[in-house]
Amino acid sequence: MTTFTTDAIAEVQQLRQAMSGLAALAALPAIWVGRDADYVLETLLDALLSALKADFVCVTLEGPKPKSRIRGRSGVTPAHDQLLRALAGTFGDDKSAWPPAGEISVGADAISILSAPMGLQGEVGVVVAGTRRRDFDDETGGLLLGAAANQAALALQAVRRLDEQKQIASDLDERVAQRTAELARANEALRFAARESREIVDNIPTLVGLLSPTGQVELVNRQIHEYTGRSTEELEKWGMSDLVHQDDLADALDSFVAGFAAGEPFEIVYRMRRHDGIYRWFEGLHHPLKDAEGRVVRWCVSCNDIEDRKQVEDALRERERTWRSVINGIPGLTATLSPRGMVEAVNRQIVEYTGCELEALRGWGSNGIVHPEDMPHVAEIFGKSIAAGASYEIEQRLRRFDGEYRWFSNRGTPAFDASGQVVRWYVLLVDIHEARLVADALRSSEDNARSIVSSIAGMIAVFTADGQLCGGNQQLLDFFEQPLEEVGRWATNGMTHPDDLQYCIDSFMGSIVSGEPYNYETRFKRADGVWRWFNIRGQPLRDASGQIARWYGLLTDIDDRKRAEEALEVSERNLQLTVDTIPALAWSARIDGTADFFNRHYLEYVGKTPEELGGWAWTAAVHPDDIARLGATWNLARETGGNAECEARLLGADGAYRWFIFRANPLLDDAGNVLKWYGINTDIEDRKRAEESLRLSEASLAEAQRLSSLGSFQWRLDTDELTFSDELYRIFEFDTAEPATLEQIAARVDPDDLPLLTEKMELARVGIDDHSYDIRLRMPDGRTKHLRSVSRSGTESDGRRVFRGTIQDVTQRKLSEEALNELRTELAHVSRVSTLGAMTASIAHEVNQPLAGIITNASTCLRMLAMDPPNIEGALETARRSIRDGNRAAEVITRLRAMFRKTTNTSETVDLNEAARDVIVLAGSELRRKRVELETNLASDLPPVMGDRVQLQQVILNLLLNAADAVTDIRDRPRRAMLKTSEDEDGNVRLTVQDNGGGIDPSSSTKLFDAFYTTKASGMGIGLSVSRSIIERHGGRIWASANDGPGASFSFAVPRSPKGYNGGDATAYSAHTQLRPQGEGQ
Amino acid sequence: MTKRLLVTVVDDDESVRESLPDLLKVLGYSVQAFSSAAAFLGSADIENNDCLILDVAMPEMTGPELSVELRRRGYRIPVVFITAHRDYSVPPLVPGQDAVQCLLKPFSEAALIAALDTAIPRN
């Protein structure tokens, strides 16, 4: 504003223009009355263009017939579609949300825009004015535009209503004209082709007739005659006959008369009597056939059998009536809304209820008529429904005139025109307050019931009367983890175990058909795939008339019980199997002793059926010799009620008897009465045979003992209880009537051997095992018995230690052995003497040599003493030499005497080296005489041996002399012999004499030690034989072997002296015992 | 002064080598003793011996063998054999040759003196 005057003038001009525009606009409604929308729009555009001084004005209408008009000055008005695109592009598609003022660009031009919605929410349309002017007065323009928009909206709504009515009328006219034309054509057709028509009419599958304009029957087709069974004349009098059901007759006549009077198509619905007296519903369609002038010339009646449809309709109508009565029972509040949701009209009840007039009601969105809490919900549902053109139903609270909110059901249904556009909303508000409260209470109560149902342990299924699943508790759904619909397909979807399915279906459907409760068991597959057993019980729920309304099924998980049952079954089966499998004949018998059960083994053994064995028939298989004893035992047991046991033979299926032990035990009741007998027959044939064989074996053992003078005994270490065999009693000459005792034995044992017996018994008691020793008995009459005892410890089955052994009477053998020993000793002696005899010359040399020294020394001594002066010194020396040589001679004599001595076998510790040295001394001169060089190689630390020294020396001497003989013939080399001793790897002491003579013939090496075998020209051939017997008596052995070089070696080995009882081996011990002193009586 | 006669004793038996030389010395002879034939043959003046007393049964070389060997070497020395073996075969004594007598052990003093007197005739 640069100057006040100019501004003021401009403002006054503007105001004047605005007032002028406003007046023009205010006049518009007057000229719009009765005009159509186009006229309204055109005049509105003209008025606005001039009033606003805008470049252009554009009106866009919404609704069933959207249209848009633009009016503007040429040159500055944009293209219509270009403008609409620019508007939508700048302000959005929702025209109701366009701003009152703004700016858009059309092409290169910036255009100022004013806009105003038509209708409250812009539901009628929008008015837009635009100008390139910078000084576009938006304030005044907006005011004008808004006023014009309101005027126009009201006018256009009126126009639209008018249009609707016109449209309906026009549609109706159109249809009537169309129908008329059709009928005319039909009439024409009838007229031109009556004959053909008649045939067609007679054959079309409906009842058709033609009536005169006054209602006279002119023609009916065959179907009418056939259906009614009446003639044309009879049909004509339908108004006075029973052709039409008497209940429908009055209405039908009224309609008929009215319809004919109106001359328009009409319908009558009535029941028409069939020839058999049955009434069926028909719909009679009456069409007037008119001539060109519009006069009715004939009526065409077609009667369609609507009996079936009627029945459906009746049902529908019944339901509708029920519904209507409910609706009628509730005070109804109704309203109509515009397609955009604007409240257009309300009924009186709404006004009365709310205490608000229409204007106030239109503000329901914010004035609290609708409960604020419900508002968001209502707005959302309502908004969506209006936008989509779909009916809605909302429960909401509505404020009463007194301020109290009550619950209403708010239903809105759109009415559409032919093109599918919503033209109006019909709203019904029903007070459901009480119902709602009741429903709330019910819901809460239902929730309780549901929670009970949900929390009970079982699964509950609800079925319709025909068996369709229609409900189930949470457990049911949880178990399968499937929706209810899926659970309902239990018979086909695999959730019922295939093995049970047919049975389930039969049981379930059987009950559905019969109405009887069902109760069966089946397996269902749990969501995790595990099958579980269920008990299914179903009970029908009947309504008051006794019809089944529902089936209630309770599914109880009995899997654990079922498994227990199965386990029990298996256990019983096992029991049966056990009874049949135990390796014995099992049976049971009644109290009277008759048998009533046999296990499989029994039947198989005797090869009979239970029938063939029942009662007393089983006794047929008992051996005739045993039947009396078995019967007596069995009878006694039954009399006393005690256990029975008897051995008897049973005939097997193979025809052979086998021994059995029959055992029967009674089953007693609490009072001790026998209820039943159970028995087991165990095969003891093998035992019997073993017993028999044992008996025979014992007999033969006793015989063998008697023949071998061998008795056996058993000695319990803990009780000193002795068991003697018969033969042992005989050996000890005890009275068989009395048990043998240790005291008795001690009295019999030779007093010299008592320490031995005591020692052995002590060893036995401390657990030293394996005793083998000889002992003598001194019988009362003075006889001596030689016994050999072999025994060892053992353990009884009860764990007690026991000594068992045999004692053999070896007196005869002992005496023989002693005689033999004596002979052998004699032989050895003879042999020895003869050997020594052969050595006489050599032995004499051994003696003469020292004798020569003695005599010479003695002579010298005498001469020295006789000298003057006597040589005392020399005499003493020579005397000493004499004594020395005398001793030397005496030793030789002593050795000789020993060798000649005839001794019995003695046992002493012998050092073989020492013994050998003595022999070498004795044989020395013999060897020298034969010019044999003897090398000795005696082992140091040689262990001693036990034996007879002289006899061992005899062997050594024998070997030495043999070696000397073996080398006598050697001329070309020194004659050599070697004597060596050693301890061999077995712990034996070995002595070998080796020569380098002619050797031995290998073929004769085994005969060398036989008696009277000799390779020498002189000699008897008993030397080596005697040597062998001596060595063998010492527990050793003697052998010959060829040398690697010339000559042969003769060796013997004898056991080293035992170091004690534990140290010696059996051989050594045996040798020791053999060499025991044999008593003084020898 | 008359020179003592030399008598040599060869015997493997020590007691003889101890006792016999003492007796011979008492009897007025000079005496040598050897334990084997070989030892004697290895000694110095064999030819100075007036008489030899040889054991018959000696290892290696016997008394008779030694006397044969001495004769083979040209010595003519009278020999008295001594032996403990009664049955030992003594070579026949040839008078005028070396061996004079064979004494069996044990022998007496008189028998010894007699044998020596025979072997060494007194002038």
Side-chain angles (χ1 to χ4, degrees):
Chain A
M1 282 189 238
T2 50
T3 62
F4 175 78
T5 311
T6 313
D7 285 351
I9 291 165
E11 194 168 351
V12 168
Q13 276 181 340
Q14 273 184 353
L15 280 173
R16 190 173 296 145
Q17 280 173 4
M19 290 303 290
S20 157
L22 202 54
L25 287 172
L28 280 175
I31 64 162
W32 286 341
V33 175
R35 300 293 185 161
D36 62 10
D38 287 342
Y39 183 80
V40 172
L41 289 182
E42 295 298 330
T43 51
L44 178 66
L45 289 172
D46 286 341
L48 283 173
L49 196 59
S50 67
L52 295 174
K53 304 240 184 307
D55 286 351
F56 62 89
V57 175
C58 178
V59 178
T60 302
L61 292 186
E62 303 288 45
K65 291 175 181 172
K67 55 179 72 172
S68 185
R69 294 277 193 281
I70 188 166
R71 178 72 45 83
R73 301 172 215 286
S74 64
V76 293
T77 305
H80 191 191
D81 53 347
Q82 200 180 2
L83 172 68
L84 292 179
R85 276 201 302 277
L87 286 166
T90 306
F91 302 131
D93 287 324
D94 185 1
K95 298 182 176 67
S96 61
W98 286 0
E103 197 170 284
I104 61 169
S105 297
V106 179
D109 302 325
I111 301 174
S112 296
I113 292 293
L114 291 174
S115 86
M118 293 193 292
L120 197 66
Q121 307 289 333
E123 70 274 12
V124 178
V126 65
V127 183
V128 173
T131 180
R132 286 179 173 73
R133 283 189 288 128
R134 286 276 171 199
D135 56 348
F136 196 57
D137 184 352
D138 48 21
E139 200 174 338
T140 314
L143 185 68
L144 286 173
L145 200 62
N150 276 339
Q151 295 278 11
L154 290 171
L156 286 168
Q157 279 176 343
V159 168
R160 191 173 288 166
R161 272 199 294 274
L162 193 65
D163 282 351
E164 282 170 14
Q165 287 164 6
K166 280 182 181 165
Q167 182 68 45
I168 289 165
S170 156
D171 287 353
L172 197 60
D173 288 348
E174 205 171 311
R175 278 208 299 277
V176 169
Q178 194 178 345
R179 183 68 55 85
T180 305
E182 283 168 5
L183 287 174
R185 279 196 298 278
N187 197 14
E188 197 74 2
L190 277 170
R191 264 196 288 166
F192 286 103
R195 188 178 301 237
E196 290 84 351
S197 298
R198 178 60 195 239
E199 282 176 13
I200 293 166
V201 166
D202 274 353
N203 286 307
I204 59 171
T206 185
L207 283 62
V208 178
L210 281 178
L211 304 182
S212 69
T214 56
Q216 299 295 309
V217 175
E218 289 189 343
L219 175 78
V220 292
N221 71 349
R222 187 165 49 83
Q223 275 78 357
I224 291 186
H225 288 305
E226 283 177 1
Y227 178 80
T228 60
R230 298 181 190 213
S231 66
T232 309
E233 290 71 33
E234 286 170 324
L235 290 171
E236 221 169 87
K237 297 176 186 138
W238 63 270
M240 291 164 291
S241 73
D242 58 355
L243 184 64
V244 172
H245 196 283
Q246 60 177 15
D247 290 351
D248 305 333
L249 190 56
D251 282 349
L253 284 170
D254 288 351
S255 301
F256 192 76
V257 171
F260 266 58
E264 293 297 327
F266 66 93
E267 302 165 8
I268 309 173
V269 176
Y270 49 84
R271 278 161 288 184
M272 184 155 60
R273 185 187 160 109
R274 205 160 60 186
H275 57 86
D276 57 0
I278 301 288
Y279 285 95
R280 293 180 66 82
W281 281 98
F282 278 83
E283 178 187 52
L285 302 174
H286 297 71
H287 290 284
L289 304 179
K290 298 180 179 176
D291 59 14
E293 285 77 37
R295 287 174 303 184
V296 174
V297 293
R298 217 171 256 110
W299 287 90
C300 176
V301 179
S302 65
C303 298
N304 297 316
D305 185 329
I306 57 164
E307 178 68 25
D308 298 334
R309 206 183 77 199
K310 185 73 179 172
Q311 282 181 5
V312 175
E313 281 179 0
D314 280 352
L316 281 171
R317 192 169 299 126
E318 181 62 24
R319 217 179 303 160
E320 194 178 304
R321 193 170 60 228
T322 311
W323 177 79
R324 206 182 292 277
S325 69
V326 172
I327 298 299
N328 287 345
I330 300 167
L333 283 65
T334 58
T336 57
L337 309 181
S338 70
R340 306 281 300 181
M342 173 73 81
V343 178
E344 287 182 340
V346 296
N347 66 355
R348 189 178 45 80
Q349 282 91 327
I350 290 187
V351 176
E352 284 176 358
Y353 175 80
T354 59
C356 295
E357 292 303 324
L358 183 59
E359 285 309 310
L361 289 171
R362 278 183 174 157
W364 61 268
S366 57
N367 59 12
I369 290 177
V370 174
H371 195 289
E373 285 180 13
D374 301 337
M375 197 58 216
H377 175 63
V378 170
E380 184 193 349
I381 301 289
F382 185 78
K384 278 185 185 166
S385 181
I386 296 299
S391 57
Y392 67 83
E393 181 172 351
I394 311 170
E395 288 191 6
Q396 60 172 90
R397 279 162 288 185
L398 212 55
R399 190 178 63 199
R400 204 160 61 182
F401 61 90
D402 58 1
E404 183 189 339
Y405 284 99
R406 290 179 66 82
W407 280 99
F408 276 79
S409 161
N410 176 358
R411 294 180 194 208
T413 311
F416 299 98
D417 64 10
S419 65
Q421 294 294 323
V422 174
V423 295
R424 186 163 292 116
W425 285 88
Y426 295 96
V427 174
L428 174 66
L429 294 158
V430 181
D431 186 335
I432 56 163
H433 194 72
E434 305 304 331
R436 172 80 189 213
L437 294 180
V438 170
D440 281 349
L442 270 176
R443 190 176 299 122
S444 135
S445 135
E446 198 176 47
D447 283 349
N448 286 340
R450 194 181 298 278
S451 71
I452 289 167
V453 167
S454 294
S455 58
I456 65 171
M459 293 161 24
I460 290 176
V462 185
F463 298 91
T464 60
D466 60 355
Q468 296 302 312
L469 182 70
C470 62
N473 67 350
Q474 195 57 43
Q475 281 85 330
L476 182 73
L477 305 181
D478 287 350
F479 179 81
F480 294 112
E481 289 183 14
Q482 295 284 351
L484 191 65
E485 299 73 49
E486 190 58 35
V487 176
R489 288 190 276 274
W490 58 270
T492 54
N493 62 5
M495 63 175 52
T496 307
H497 198 285
D499 294 350
D500 307 335
L501 186 59
Q502 195 53 49
Y503 167 68
C504 283
I505 292 174
D506 291 349
S507 303
F508 183 74
M509 292 316 292
S511 287
I512 295 298
V513 171
S514 69
E516 292 299 315
Y518 56 83
N519 183 352
Y520 58 91
E521 290 174 1
T522 184
R523 281 161 287 182
F524 284 131
K525 191 196 278 180
R526 201 164 56 192
D528 60 4
V530 173
W531 292 103
R532 289 190 72 83
W533 276 100
F534 278 84
N535 172 252
I536 321 285
R537 287 168 201 240
Q539 195 78 35
L541 176 73
R542 294 175 188 276
D543 61 18
S545 63
Q547 291 295 309
I548 292 173
R550 286 280 187 276
W551 284 90
Y552 285 94
L554 176 65
L555 291 73
T556 312
D557 189 328
I558 54 160
D559 200 64
D560 296 338
R561 195 195 79 199
K562 198 75 182 175
R563 292 203 190 287
E565 281 177 7
E566 278 175 359
L568 190 62
E569 201 175 303
V570 168
S571 148
E572 274 170 3
R573 219 167 33 234
N574 282 345
L575 199 59
Q576 175 67 34
L577 203 60
T578 306
V579 168
D580 272 344
T581 318
I582 52 171
L585 313 188
W587 51 269
S588 68
R590 304 180 190 91
I591 313 169
D592 63 1
T594 56
D596 60 358
F597 167 79
F598 301 93
N599 75 344
R600 192 166 53 80
H601 274 298
Y602 205 125
L603 300 174
E604 283 175 3
Y605 175 73
V606 298
K608 294 191 185 307
T609 65
E611 293 72 33
E612 289 170 326
L613 287 176
W616 290 102
W618 61 272
T619 54
V622 178
H623 195 285
D625 293 350
D626 304 334
I627 190 71
R629 192 174 69 256
L630 184 64
T633 308
W634 184 215
N635 288 335
L636 181 68
R638 285 190 292 115
E639 279 166 28
T640 60
N643 294 347
E645 185 173 320
C646 183
E647 292 181 5
R649 280 159 288 183
L650 264 184
L651 184 61
D654 59 357
Y657 281 99
R658 288 180 71 85
W659 277 99
F660 282 86
I661 182 160
F662 288 60
R663 286 200 181 94
N665 288 7
L667 175 69
L668 304 174
D669 64 13
D670 290 342
N673 299 313
V674 175
L675 297 176
K676 205 169 175 59
W677 289 90
Y678 290 97
I680 290 278
N681 298 353
T682 312
D683 187 331
I684 55 165
E685 179 69 18
D686 296 338
R687 200 194 81 197
K688 274 281 184 191
R689 284 196 184 155
E691 281 174 5
E692 178 64 16
S693 128
L694 183 63
R695 201 179 55 73
L696 286 173
S697 145
E698 277 176 348
S700 70
L701 181 65
E703 180 68 13
Q705 290 200 349
R706 204 178 63 72
L707 287 172
S708 62
S709 299
L710 182 77
S712 56
F713 69 91
Q714 179 170 297
W715 171 31
R716 288 190 186 283
L717 291 177
D718 51 351
T719 60
D720 280 346
E721 186 186 339
L722 286 168
T723 310
F724 271 34
S725 73
D726 290 347
E727 182 60 19
L728 198 53
Y729 273 105
R730 208 185 59 73
I731 289 169
F732 274 84
E733 297 178 21
F734 287 160
D735 181 0
T736 51
E738 300 287 324
T741 63
L742 290 177
E743 292 71 26
Q744 276 184 306
I745 292 170
R748 278 277 195 276
V749 169
D750 189 301
D752 289 346
D753 285 353
L754 258 180
L756 175 69
L757 178 67
T758 310
E759 176 194 329
K760 293 292 179 188
M761 284 175 61
E762 286 309 312
L763 288 173
R765 285 191 196 280
V766 301
I768 293 177
D769 209 347
D770 203 10
H771 300 268
S772 172
Y773 59 94
D774 293 349
I775 199 161
R776 288 166 300 179
L777 297 186
R778 178 66 53 86
M779 305 314 288
D781 59 3
R783 280 175 299 129
T784 296
K785 282 194 178 184
H786 294 269
L787 305 184
R788 167 151 305 155
S789 172
V790 178
S791 59
R792 65 175 181 200
S793 68
T795 307
E796 287 284 74
S797 55
D798 57 10
R800 299 200 292 176
R801 284 196 58 238
V802 65
F803 244 73
R804 293 195 193 87
T806 58
I807 292 174
Q808 190 171 21
D809 185 344
V810 293
T811 309
Q812 286 304 318
R813 197 202 300 172
K814 204 78 179 179
L815 293 176
S816 305
E817 275 177 6
E818 281 174 6
L820 185 61
N821 266 335
E822 215 168 312
L823 281 172
R824 279 184 184 141
T825 308
E826 186 65 30
L827 182 62
H829 182 242
V830 168
S831 163
R832 195 159 64 241
V833 168
S834 91
T835 304
L836 292 170
M839 288 171 65
T840 308
S842 300
I843 291 165
H845 173 260
E846 287 304 311
V847 180
N848 287 340
Q849 199 80 330
L851 280 178
I854 290 165
I855 288 169
T856 304
N857 282 320
S859 300
T860 309
C861 181
L862 287 174
R863 284 192 179 270
M864 286 181 170
L865 289 173
M867 280 163 62
D868 186 21
N871 184 353
I872 301 300
E873 193 93 352
L876 287 174
E877 177 60 30
T878 54
R880 274 197 291 273
R881 285 189 206 136
S882 293
I883 294 164
R884 186 196 65 190
D885 288 349
N887 286 338
R888 185 179 147 196
E891 278 173 26
V892 173
I893 298 302
T894 305
R895 283 192 195 98
L896 274 176
R897 188 183 290 144
M899 290 295 279
F900 277 103
R901 194 175 64 217
K902 179 187 173 186
T903 62
T904 57
N905 298 329
T906 60
S907 186
E908 59 189 323
T909 306
V910 178
D911 180 349
L912 265 191
N913 282 347
E914 226 175 75
R917 277 189 208 102
D918 277 357
V919 172
I920 290 166
V921 170
L922 267 183
S925 61
E926 176 74 5
L927 294 174
R928 269 197 302 280
R929 192 170 66 86
K930 293 182 174 174
R931 308 191 64 182
V932 177
E933 295 171 29
L934 178 68
E935 185 189 344
T936 56
N937 186 0
L938 303 180
S940 55
D941 298 332
L942 195 68
V945 301
M946 288 296 284
D948 186 319
R949 181 188 173 93
V950 171
Q951 290 192 358
L952 288 172
Q953 285 180 320
Q954 179 180 350
V955 175
I956 299 168
L957 179 62
N958 193 259
L959 296 183
L960 268 181
L961 294 181
N962 279 351
D965 287 346
V967 298
T968 326
D969 296 336
I970 293 177
R971 296 280 182 263
D972 56 341
R973 60 180 188 272
R975 301 166 182 172
R976 288 206 177 111
M978 184 173 73
L979 187 154
K980 63 178 176 188
T981 56
S982 61
E983 183 182 9
D984 69 15
E985 55 274 14
D986 297 328
N988 295 329
V989 179
R990 181 185 293 188
L991 185 145
T992 299
V993 176
Q994 188 180 332
D995 65 62
N996 64 341
I1000 50 171
D1001 178 1
S1003 66
S1004 63
S1005 67
T1006 53
K1007 297 190 215 160
L1008 284 174
F1009 299 95
D1010 291 348
F1012 309 116
Y1013 179 89
T1014 180
T1015 56
K1016 292 188 272 190
S1018 64
M1020 286 165 60
I1022 60 166
L1024 283 175
S1025 164
V1026 169
S1027 294
R1028 185 175 68 173
S1029 81
I1030 290 170
I1031 293 301
E1032 285 179 353
R1033 267 183 288 161
H1034 281 75
R1037 65 188 187 97
I1038 185 166
W1039 70 97
S1041 56
N1043 291 338
D1044 287 343
S1049 294
F1050 282 76
S1051 309
F1052 69 84
V1054 289
R1056 54 181 292 173
S1057 169
K1059 287 166 186 165
Y1061 286 111
N1062 296 325
D1065 59 22
T1067 317
Y1069 192 63
S1070 159
H1072 166 62
T1073 50
Q1074 261 185 331
L1075 292 165
R1076 284 183 51 76
Q1078 300 301 311
E1080 309 90 303
Q1082 309 285 323
Chain B
M1 234 178 93
T2 47
K3 185 187 168 234
R4 282 188 170 219
L5 294 171
L6 177 61
V7 175
T8 295
V9 175
V10 182
D11 196 321
D12 62 335
D13 190 290
E14 195 188 354
S15 69
V16 172
R17 286 203 309 276
E18 283 175 354
S19 57
L20 194 54
D22 282 356
L23 181 60
L24 290 172
K25 283 175 191 164
V26 172
L27 291 176
Y29 295 97
S30 289
V31 183
Q32 301 184 100
F34 295 94
S35 65
S36 70
F40 171 66
L41 287 174
S43 66
D45 41 357
I46 295 174
E47 69 273 12
N48 291 336
N49 276 291
D50 297 295
C51 183
L52 301 177
I53 299 175
L54 305 180
D55 184 38
V56 175
M58 284 190 295
E60 307 293 333
M61 187 179 278
T62 62
E65 285 166 351
L66 178 58
S67 76
V68 171
E69 176 64 21
L70 289 173
R71 198 160 54 242
R72 193 184 64 79
R73 294 189 185 187
Y75 298 110
R76 292 289 184 272
I77 306 166
V79 177
V80 174
F81 289 112
I82 54 173
T83 182
H85 290 282
R86 224 172 276 278
D87 62 342
Y88 207 93
S89 58
V90 178
L93 298 174
V94 183
Q97 289 199 1
D98 311 325
V100 178
Q101 196 144 6
C102 182
L103 299 175
L104 285 174
K105 295 179 188 174
F107 47 83
S108 65
E109 185 193 79
L112 178 67
I113 292 169
L116 286 172
D117 285 345
T118 308
I120 311 164
R122 308 276 173 148
N123 298 334

